[in-house]
Amino acid sequence: MFKTTYYEVHLTVAFTHEEKQIIRQRNLLKTKLVDRRPATARVDDRDEKFELRVEHLMDGRTDRFLCANPSKAKIYEDNLLDMLAQMKRWLDDNADTADRTVVEF
């Protein structure tokens, strides 16, 4: 009778073997990617419970997140895409140590 409809956003990331190695070698599994609160969260739930971390996306796992309406789902999806682009740059930066730079005075 009092049925509530939620909109679910699914995220699955396929990391390359090299990216997985970078994540493990640099101890990046616990790195927080997104602060979020699902539509079903209670007021007294801790925020840390809902954080999206790198470890949640490893090994092809799918992350599911509930939004209250289609607009919030689309906004969340846009934020995820921005975060993934930033994460890709971040992994590329962590891939190799920088080349040596010589500065003369």
Side-chain angles (χ1 to χ4, degrees), residues 11-29:
L11 173 66
T12 305
V13 179
F15 291 109
T16 64
H17 179 70
E18 181 184 15
E19 290 169 339
K20 288 179 185 179
Q21 290 301 320
I22 293 167
I23 290 167
R24 288 190 178 103
Q25 287 173 356
R26 307 269 195 260
N27 296 319
L28 302 174
L29 286 170

Side-chain angles (χ1 to χ4, degrees), residues 28-104:
L28 302 174
L29 286 170
K30 298 284 183 190
T31 303
K32 179 175 49 170
L33 300 172
V34 177
D35 278 323
R36 60 191 187 166
R37 255 183 114 63
T40 57
R42 292 179 299 212
V43 175
D44 60 340
D45 285 339
R46 292 181 11 199
D47 289 337
E48 295 84 28
K49 179 179 176 182
F50 306 115
E51 293 174 349
L52 178 61
R53 293 189 302 273
V54 174
E55 65 186 335
H56 298 144
L57 302 175
M58 290 297 287
D59 303 320
R61 288 187 251 166
T62 300
D63 178 69
R64 292 172 174 82
F65 185 73
L66 294 177
C67 298
N69 56 52
S71 176
K72 288 185 180 183
K74 289 177 183 176
I75 291 168
Y76 178 70
E77 180 183 9
D78 287 342
N79 290 339
L80 282 179
L81 293 174
D82 291 340
M83 177 273 304
L84 289 173
Q86 182 179 358
M87 183 177 178
K88 179 68 175 164
R89 288 190 302 270
W90 176 61
L91 287 172
D92 289 342
D93 289 345
N94 276 288
D96 293 320
T97 56
D99 294 332
R100 185 174 162 186
T101 303
V102 177
V103 178
E104 291 184 33

